[in-house]
Amino acid sequence: MGSIYVPPVRLAILEADTPVPGIKAKYGSYGGVFRYLFERACASLDPPVPLSSVLELSSHDIVNDLNAYPDPETIDAILISGSKYSAYDNDEWIVRLTQYTRRCLEGGRVRVVGTCFGHQIVGRAMGSQVGKNIRGWELSVTEHELTPEGKKLFGVEKLSIHQMHRDVVYDLPPGVVPLASTDVCPVQAMHIPKRLITVQGHPEFTEDMVREILEMRRYGGILGEDVFEDGMRRVANKHDGVAVARAFLRFLRE
């Protein structure tokens, strides 16, 4: 018998920011950054598969166009990107994103993926408090402690991915399974099967991307010298962004 055709998952990438110049020149937008991540994840599968057989990607600039959101009936999942903005602010586009995310979660069919700011938006949409972390910045390649569920879902014993945040989700929303934690940020990853998966880190980031962001934030006065140097010491460390992307793919197709 022939194999049953499974159509690609229609994943809408909700772009919550514009990349810094070097990233923008190479990838265009954060939609392009995530396309590159998922291409590498698909290439790492055994056997490798083309991205187009797994995902049908679309990108939506939700910051500059309040009407950019796709009709939930035309998609299977959303991915909310990271952002330099704060998920607890009440700018119109952030409030609208929170409402749209809540609508997707409550509808039960459209699955939700979030990274960094997107992770925090999901927390906010589900009623958790989001705010600044009194422990300060978490930057560059960071090792996470995984829960048993996290080890199973990500397929590794310990997880290291890039970080770039000072805001956090303070507490787990009701019904969410915790996947990972660090000393600086206990709520690092959340999961509800067939509903949502989020990570506070940036699986999509590479060494070159993080170097540029760190340098821009240092020269812009956002990061102090000690914090900057600490991030630069770890920026080239091995990280598991592709493993996280494979977990996203499994989640989207389960």
Side-chain angles (χ1 to χ4, degrees):
M1 293 179 63
S3 59
I4 298 173
Y5 171 70
V6 178
V9 174
R10 299 168 297 175
L11 176 62
I13 298 171
L14 306 186
E15 299 172 329
D17 205 350
T18 301
V20 295
I23 299 174
K24 185 175 182 180
K26 189 170 184 179
Y27 300 99
S29 69
Y30 277 117
V33 172
F34 279 101
R35 176 177 293 275
Y36 178 56
L37 172 66
F38 285 123
E39 285 173 346
R40 287 178 288 145
C42 288
S44 74
L45 297 174
D46 185 17
V49 297
L51 174 62
S52 60
S53 70
V54 180
L55 296 178
E56 180 184 309
L57 298 178
S58 60
S59 300
H60 308 265
D61 179 358
I62 57 167
V63 180
N64 298 301
D65 183 358
L66 295 177
N67 297 310
Y69 292 94
D71 181 344
E73 294 303 315
T74 67
I75 58 173
D76 302 307
I78 61 172
L79 186 157
I80 310 166
S81 80
S83 178
K84 62 178 172 287
Y85 302 102
S86 292
Y88 50 82
D89 282 345
N90 288 315
D91 296 10
E92 185 178 1
W93 75 268
I94 295 175
V95 172
R96 186 166 295 197
L97 172 59
T98 304
Q99 293 169 341
Y100 182 85
T101 303
R102 186 180 299 119
R103 177 185 172 191
C104 290
L105 289 168
E106 291 177 349
R109 187 188 66 80
V110 175
R111 300 183 187 189
V112 177
V113 181
T115 65
C116 197
F117 173 87
H119 163 83
Q120 296 160 12
I121 286 290
V122 172
R124 176 177 176 174
M126 297 185 72
S128 288
Q129 185 180 0
V130 179
K132 282 218 182 322
N133 191 349
I134 60 171
R135 298 173 184 173
W137 285 94
E138 193 168 42
L139 302 170
S140 207
V141 179
T142 302
E143 188 174 281
H144 300 55
E145 291 293 331
L146 295 177
T147 64
E149 293 85 357
K151 292 177 182 179
K152 180 179 178 182
L153 197 147
F154 294 120
V156 294
E157 286 298 307
K158 282 188 177 290
L159 185 76
S160 293
I161 58 173
H162 279 290
Q163 297 279 357
M164 188 64 63
H165 74 105
R166 190 170 53 176
D167 297 341
V168 292
V169 178
Y170 286 132
D171 53 299
L172 285 167
V176 164
V177 178
L179 301 177
S181 65
T182 65
D183 290 340
V184 173
C185 173
V187 183
Q188 282 284 353
M190 309 186 295
H191 181 230
I192 297 178
K194 300 185 179 182
R195 291 278 309 285
L196 68 90
I197 185 170
T198 69
V199 293
Q200 176 58 67
H202 286 276
E204 76 279 16
F205 279 177
T206 64
E207 175 187 346
D208 289 345
M209 294 177 192
V210 175
R211 280 187 185 277
E212 183 180 7
I213 296 169
L214 287 173
E215 288 168 356
M216 286 191 65
R217 292 189 172 186
R218 175 201 184 192
Y219 292 118
I222 297 171
L223 299 178
E225 189 68 22
D226 289 348
V227 173
F228 168 77
E229 290 181 357
D230 177 55
M232 291 297 279
R233 275 194 294 270
R234 289 176 285 105
V235 73
N237 288 2
K238 180 183 177 296
H239 65 94
D240 300 305
V242 169
V244 174
R246 286 196 298 264
F248 288 173
L249 291 176
R250 290 191 292 270
F251 162 77
L252 290 169
R253 293 173 67 83
E254 69 183 358

PDB file of all heavy atoms in Angstrom, residues 230-245:
ATOM      1  N   ASP A 230      29.982  38.965  29.542  1.00  0.00           N
ATOM      2  CA  ASP A 230      29.510  37.636  29.940  1.00  0.00           C
ATOM      3  C   ASP A 230      28.791  36.967  28.775  1.00  0.00           C
ATOM      4  O   ASP A 230      28.991  35.783  28.491  1.00  0.00           O
ATOM      5  CB  ASP A 230      28.577  37.758  31.142  1.00  0.00           C
ATOM      6  CG  ASP A 230      27.998  36.426  31.565  1.00  0.00           C
ATOM      7  OD1 ASP A 230      28.780  35.484  31.830  1.00  0.00           O
ATOM      8  OD2 ASP A 230      26.753  36.300  31.612  1.00  0.00           O
ATOM      9  N   GLY A 231      27.943  37.729  28.070  1.00  0.00           N
ATOM     10  CA  GLY A 231      27.248  37.172  26.916  1.00  0.00           C
ATOM     11  C   GLY A 231      28.206  36.802  25.796  1.00  0.00           C
ATOM     12  O   GLY A 231      28.066  35.741  25.169  1.00  0.00           O
ATOM     13  N   MET A 232      29.198  37.637  25.544  1.00  0.00           N
ATOM     14  CA  MET A 232      30.145  37.374  24.462  1.00  0.00           C
ATOM     15  C   MET A 232      31.010  36.150  24.758  1.00  0.00           C
ATOM     16  O   MET A 232      31.436  35.449  23.832  1.00  0.00           O
ATOM     17  CB  MET A 232      31.022  38.599  24.227  1.00  0.00           C
ATOM     18  CG  MET A 232      30.281  39.776  23.627  1.00  0.00           C
ATOM     19  SD  MET A 232      29.612  39.449  21.966  1.00  0.00           S
ATOM     20  CE  MET A 232      31.083  39.693  20.967  1.00  0.00           C
ATOM     21  N   ARG A 233      31.257  35.862  26.020  1.00  0.00           N
ATOM     22  CA  ARG A 233      32.066  34.674  26.370  1.00  0.00           C
ATOM     23  C   ARG A 233      31.361  33.383  25.967  1.00  0.00           C
ATOM     24  O   ARG A 233      32.018  32.370  25.710  1.00  0.00           O
ATOM     25  CB  ARG A 233      32.355  34.659  27.878  1.00  0.00           C
ATOM     26  CG  ARG A 233      33.551  35.476  28.312  1.00  0.00           C
ATOM     27  CD  ARG A 233      33.975  35.145  29.730  1.00  0.00           C
ATOM     28  NE  ARG A 233      32.963  35.530  30.704  1.00  0.00           N
ATOM     29  CZ  ARG A 233      32.916  36.727  31.304  1.00  0.00           C
ATOM     30  NH1 ARG A 233      33.815  37.646  31.006  1.00  0.00           N
ATOM     31  NH2 ARG A 233      31.980  37.011  32.186  1.00  0.00           N
ATOM     32  N   ARG A 234      30.033  33.398  25.941  1.00  0.00           N
ATOM     33  CA  ARG A 234      29.276  32.174  25.675  1.00  0.00           C
ATOM     34  C   ARG A 234      28.609  32.147  24.308  1.00  0.00           C
ATOM     35  O   ARG A 234      27.932  31.190  23.958  1.00  0.00           O
ATOM     36  CB  ARG A 234      28.224  31.992  26.772  1.00  0.00           C
ATOM     37  CG  ARG A 234      28.826  31.611  28.110  1.00  0.00           C
ATOM     38  CD  ARG A 234      27.799  31.512  29.223  1.00  0.00           C
ATOM     39  NE  ARG A 234      27.359  32.831  29.669  1.00  0.00           N
ATOM     40  CZ  ARG A 234      26.188  33.388  29.369  1.00  0.00           C
ATOM     41  NH1 ARG A 234      25.318  32.715  28.637  1.00  0.00           N
ATOM     42  NH2 ARG A 234      25.880  34.587  29.803  1.00  0.00           N
ATOM     43  N   VAL A 235      28.802  33.214  23.509  1.00  0.00           N
ATOM     44  CA  VAL A 235      28.041  33.357  22.269  1.00  0.00           C
ATOM     45  C   VAL A 235      28.364  32.262  21.246  1.00  0.00           C
ATOM     46  O   VAL A 235      27.507  31.902  20.426  1.00  0.00           O
ATOM     47  CB  VAL A 235      28.260  34.761  21.668  1.00  0.00           C
ATOM     48  CG1 VAL A 235      29.653  34.885  21.057  1.00  0.00           C
ATOM     49  CG2 VAL A 235      27.182  35.097  20.646  1.00  0.00           C
ATOM     50  N   ALA A 236      29.568  31.708  21.308  1.00  0.00           N
ATOM     51  CA  ALA A 236      29.968  30.685  20.332  1.00  0.00           C
ATOM     52  C   ALA A 236      29.782  29.266  20.852  1.00  0.00           C
ATOM     53  O   ALA A 236      30.125  28.299  20.158  1.00  0.00           O
ATOM     54  CB  ALA A 236      31.423  30.896  19.920  1.00  0.00           C
ATOM     55  N   ASN A 237      29.231  29.127  22.056  1.00  0.00           N
ATOM     56  CA  ASN A 237      29.036  27.785  22.618  1.00  0.00           C
ATOM     57  C   ASN A 237      28.021  26.995  21.785  1.00  0.00           C
ATOM     58  O   ASN A 237      27.139  27.566  21.133  1.00  0.00           O
ATOM     59  CB  ASN A 237      28.537  27.879  24.061  1.00  0.00           C
ATOM     60  CG  ASN A 237      29.610  28.353  25.018  1.00  0.00           C
ATOM     61  OD1 ASN A 237      30.728  28.653  24.620  1.00  0.00           O
ATOM     62  ND2 ASN A 237      29.264  28.451  26.295  1.00  0.00           N
ATOM     63  N   LYS A 238      28.163  25.686  21.847  1.00  0.00           N
ATOM     64  CA  LYS A 238      27.210  24.805  21.164  1.00  0.00           C
ATOM     65  C   LYS A 238      25.809  25.035  21.718  1.00  0.00           C
ATOM     66  O   LYS A 238      25.622  25.194  22.927  1.00  0.00           O
ATOM     67  CB  LYS A 238      27.612  23.346  21.370  1.00  0.00           C
ATOM     68  CG  LYS A 238      26.687  22.333  20.701  1.00  0.00           C
ATOM     69  CD  LYS A 238      27.121  20.911  21.012  1.00  0.00           C
ATOM     70  CE  LYS A 238      26.165  19.897  20.401  1.00  0.00           C
ATOM     71  NZ  LYS A 238      24.801  19.982  20.965  1.00  0.00           N
ATOM     72  N   HIS A 239      24.826  25.056  20.819  1.00  0.00           N
ATOM     73  CA  HIS A 239      23.445  25.239  21.278  1.00  0.00           C
ATOM     74  C   HIS A 239      22.518  24.292  20.525  1.00  0.00           C
ATOM     75  O   HIS A 239      22.869  23.750  19.474  1.00  0.00           O
ATOM     76  CB  HIS A 239      22.998  26.695  21.115  1.00  0.00           C
ATOM     77  CG  HIS A 239      22.927  27.165  19.697  1.00  0.00           C
ATOM     78  ND1 HIS A 239      21.772  27.124  18.953  1.00  0.00           N
ATOM     79  CD2 HIS A 239      23.878  27.681  18.883  1.00  0.00           C
ATOM     80  CE1 HIS A 239      22.005  27.593  17.742  1.00  0.00           C
ATOM     81  NE2 HIS A 239      23.285  27.942  17.669  1.00  0.00           N
ATOM     82  N   ASP A 240      21.321  24.116  21.084  1.00  0.00           N
ATOM     83  CA  ASP A 240      20.387  23.089  20.618  1.00  0.00           C
ATOM     84  C   ASP A 240      19.174  23.680  19.912  1.00  0.00           C
ATOM     85  O   ASP A 240      18.064  23.143  20.012  1.00  0.00           O
ATOM     86  CB  ASP A 240      19.936  22.232  21.804  1.00  0.00           C
ATOM     87  CG  ASP A 240      21.096  21.534  22.492  1.00  0.00           C
ATOM     88  OD1 ASP A 240      21.834  20.817  21.790  1.00  0.00           O
ATOM     89  OD2 ASP A 240      21.270  21.724  23.709  1.00  0.00           O
ATOM     90  N   GLY A 241      19.376  24.777  19.191  1.00  0.00           N
ATOM     91  CA  GLY A 241      18.248  25.398  18.500  1.00  0.00           C
ATOM     92  C   GLY A 241      17.555  24.470  17.529  1.00  0.00           C
ATOM     93  O   GLY A 241      16.318  24.457  17.438  1.00  0.00           O
ATOM     94  N   VAL A 242      18.320  23.666  16.795  1.00  0.00           N
ATOM     95  CA  VAL A 242      17.719  22.752  15.826  1.00  0.00           C
ATOM     96  C   VAL A 242      16.920  21.659  16.536  1.00  0.00           C
ATOM     97  O   VAL A 242      15.853  21.243  16.055  1.00  0.00           O
ATOM     98  CB  VAL A 242      18.795  22.162  14.899  1.00  0.00           C
ATOM     99  CG1 VAL A 242      18.241  21.018  14.069  1.00  0.00           C
ATOM    100  CG2 VAL A 242      19.344  23.248  13.975  1.00  0.00           C
ATOM    101  N   ALA A 243      17.398  21.192  17.685  1.00  0.00           N
ATOM    102  CA  ALA A 243      16.637  20.197  18.463  1.00  0.00           C
ATOM    103  C   ALA A 243      15.301  20.773  18.908  1.00  0.00           C
ATOM    104  O   ALA A 243      14.271  20.071  18.891  1.00  0.00           O
ATOM    105  CB  ALA A 243      17.458  19.740  19.670  1.00  0.00           C
ATOM    106  N   VAL A 244      15.296  22.045  19.308  1.00  0.00           N
ATOM    107  CA  VAL A 244      14.035  22.694  19.687  1.00  0.00           C
ATOM    108  C   VAL A 244      13.113  22.793  18.469  1.00  0.00           C
ATOM    109  O   VAL A 244      11.910  22.535  18.566  1.00  0.00           O
ATOM    110  CB  VAL A 244      14.298  24.082  20.299  1.00  0.00           C
ATOM    111  CG1 VAL A 244      12.979  24.812  20.554  1.00  0.00           C
ATOM    112  CG2 VAL A 244      15.082  23.953  21.603  1.00  0.00           C
ATOM    113  N   ALA A 245      13.672  23.142  17.317  1.00  0.00           N
ATOM    114  CA  ALA A 245      12.858  23.239  16.102  1.00  0.00           C
ATOM    115  C   ALA A 245      12.266  21.881  15.719  1.00  0.00           C
ATOM    116  O   ALA A 245      11.119  21.808  15.260  1.00  0.00           O
ATOM    117  CB  ALA A 245      13.692  23.800  14.955  1.00  0.00           C
TER     118      ALA A 245
END
